[in-house]
């Protein structure tokens, strides 16, 4: 009986881990809280989310991702009154590498590091770029907040 229980638990845990995905937002701008703009399914708390196109992005509601990676400059994230929750504990819960230069702006809202992840708002020694938190954007529960790396 214990073997079946252990095997069942292992299968459930393995299946849960298999559900975590790397998801890249398909558009150059848009609503990160819209399932339809993600192609039908909104990423969840186990997913690594990447933005790789410059543009204006919004949040129409709260979202939870494992990590949030901005891999290009020229992004403006208007969080409004919503919350971007990132749950990755430790390294790289919020990671911005503005390849090609340009600004990465987070405006308003709240970025919640629910498992005390690390915030890297600017990681790009080979290009000129700037990360800005403006209009009352609140960062909370970060384990480390690196100004630059």
């Amino acid at each position: 009986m214990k073997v079946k229980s252990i095997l069942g638990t292992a299968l459930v845990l393995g299946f849960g881990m298999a559900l975590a995905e790397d998801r890249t937002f398909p558009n150059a701008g848009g609503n990160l809280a819209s399932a339809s703009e993600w192609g039908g399914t909104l990423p969840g708390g186990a997913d690594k989310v990447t933005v790789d196109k410059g543009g204006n992005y919004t949040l129409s509601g709260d979202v939870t991702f494992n990590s949030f990676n901005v891999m290009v400059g020229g992004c403006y994230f208007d969080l409004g009154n919503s919350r971007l929750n990132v749950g990755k504990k430790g390294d790289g819960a919020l990671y911005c590498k503005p390849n090609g230069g340009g600004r990465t702006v987070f405006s308003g809202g709240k970025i919640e590091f629910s498992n005390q992840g690390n915030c890297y708002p600017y990681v790009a020694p080979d290009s000129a770029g700037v990360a800005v938190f403006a209009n009352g954007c609140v960062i909370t529960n970060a384990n480390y907040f690196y100004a630059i790396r």
Side-chain angles (χ1 to χ4, degrees), residues 26-88:
N27 306 316
N31 183 359
L32 296 169
S34 169
S36 65
E37 291 195 44
W38 280 98
T41 306
L42 194 64
D47 297 327
K48 173 185 171 184
V49 168
T50 299
V51 169
D52 65 355
K53 297 169 195 67
N56 294 321
Y57 297 86
T58 61
L59 278 182
S60 61
D62 297 348
V63 293
T64 300
F65 307 135
N66 185 44
S67 64
F68 188 72
N69 303 287
V70 182
M71 302 306 289
V72 65
C75 293
Y76 184 89
F77 297 96
D78 183 356
L79 305 180
N81 292 318
S82 297
R83 184 169 52 205
L84 169 62
N85 299 299
V86 287
K88 183 176 182 181

Side-chain angles (χ1 to χ4, degrees), residues 94 96 98 118-124 129-133 144-149:
L94 176 70
C96 299
N118 295 339
C119 182
Y120 298 104
Y122 179 72
V123 182
V130 176
V132 177
F133 297 88
Y144 285 101
F145 184 100
Y146 295 88
I148 189 167
R149 181 177 175 194

Side-chain angles (χ1 to χ4, degrees), residues 80-121:
N81 292 318
S82 297
R83 184 169 52 205
L84 169 62
N85 299 299
V86 287
K88 183 176 182 181
K89 185 167 179 66
D91 202 33
L94 176 70
Y95 183 89
C96 299
K97 185 174 183 179
N99 289 328
R103 286 183 170 212
T104 300
V105 178
F106 294 91
S107 178
K110 185 176 187 178
I111 302 173
E112 167 78 36
F113 291 83
S114 56
N115 281 325
Q116 297 180 341
N118 295 339
C119 182
Y120 298 104

